[in-house]
Amino acid sequence: MDKIVNIGQSIHIKGELTGNEDLTIEGKVEGKIFLKDHNLTIGANGKITAEIQAKTVMVLGEVSGNITADDKVEVATSGSMRGDIVAPRVVLADGAKFKGAIDMDRKPGSAAPSPRPSMEPVGAGGPPKGANL
């Protein structure tokens, strides 16, 4: 069972925050947050001014800074996000506040559907064989 760590409403952190556990932040964090392969939740009272990198990020409070996620970023109805998001899946709930850019390009090597090649180049040749004109 993974541990979940909580940073309470009265806590204010400046600097770099790293860890190997899921994290919920209800306080203030300024700097960088790095949670490789773990989930980050910004609680409704959380105020974050940081660059964030995690597996998944759920924003219920306020974030100012860029988010990079390996799986998903979700900004809830109560959430506010100012910055860029890079993640394969992004959810912006109805009523969520967002200002920035979203990049949902898949990582190199992941399976992405490619367009089917046509059997004949466009504009090549005339009508199909056997066509009555």
Side-chain angles (χ1 to χ4, degrees), residues 4 9 24 26 29-30 45 54 58 66-68 74 78-79 85 98 103 107 129 133:
I4 298 176
Q9 214 172 332
T24 298
E26 290 288 348
V29 175
E30 298 176 42
N45 298 306
M58 168 67 96
N66 299 331
I67 298 176
T68 302
E74 184 170 348
S78 62
I85 296 174
F98 175 75
D103 182 351
K107 292 182 180 179
K129 290 182 183 178
L133 296 177

Side-chain angles (χ1 to χ4, degrees), residues 5-88:
V5 177
N6 293 306
I7 293 177
Q9 214 172 332
S10 66
I11 305 297
H12 187 163
I13 297 173
K14 285 185 179 183
E16 191 170 308
L17 181 59
T18 63
N20 289 318
E21 311 177 47
D22 292 349
L23 178 63
T24 298
I25 299 174
E26 290 288 348
K28 293 182 181 180
V29 175
E30 298 176 42
K32 294 182 180 182
I33 301 171
F34 183 73
L35 298 175
K36 184 168 175 56
D37 299 326
H38 292 281
N39 305 320
L40 174 64
T41 301
I42 311 303
N45 298 306
K47 295 186 187 325
I48 310 302
T49 304
E51 298 298 310
I52 299 171
Q53 186 170 356
K55 180 180 176 186
T56 66
V57 179
M58 168 67 96
V59 179
L60 302 166
E62 297 177 23
V63 173
S64 180
N66 299 331
I67 298 176
T68 302
D70 294 333
D71 185 28
K72 178 174 81 168
V73 173
E74 184 170 348
V75 182
T77 301
S78 62
S80 172
M81 165 74 192
R82 294 179 62 93
D84 297 342
I85 296 174
V86 177

